[in-house]
Amino acid sequence: HGQMLARIRSTVANARQWDALCQMVEETADLATIGRHWLGCRQRGQAYIAGVALIAMALEKIAQEFGMTNHFHPPNRRV
């Protein structure tokens, strides 16, 4: 478990993305709160969208690392 977590942590190199993922898993912040902290958005809708974008970027990196993307060829494989 610890090794897999370390692998995921190294995959998500951006500290803000990692912190946002941890907050979502620990249920200490919602998407709007995460977006407010990231971009300083004042409107709830904008903050929510920013939070979704930050989490999506982190999850996309994880999906690419573990080969779970919808790309025909993995990015680390030459065509």
Side-chain angles (χ1 to χ4, degrees):
H1 175 72
Q3 290 176 345
M4 188 60 70
L5 187 60
R7 180 177 173 192
I8 293 171
R9 174 62 183 106
S10 67
T11 299
V12 181
N14 186 301
R16 287 182 190 252
Q17 291 176 1
W18 180 252
D19 290 341
L21 282 176
C22 289
Q23 289 174 351
M24 289 293 296
V25 170
E26 295 168 354
E27 297 181 357
T28 57
D30 62 354
L31 290 170
T33 305
I34 290 169
R36 276 190 199 101
H37 289 283
W38 181 36
L39 294 179
C41 302
R42 293 181 185 222
Q43 294 181 350
R44 180 169 172 72
Q46 290 176 339
Y48 179 84
I49 291 169
V52 169
L54 188 63
I55 295 292
M57 288 187 288
L59 291 177
E60 180 66 26
K61 287 181 182 179
I62 294 170
Q64 287 175 354
E65 174 69 21
F66 291 94
M68 296 184 287
T69 61
N70 57 1
H71 302 295
F72 180 71
H73 297 289
N76 60 352
R77 188 169 136 202
R78 293 186 180 200
V79 179

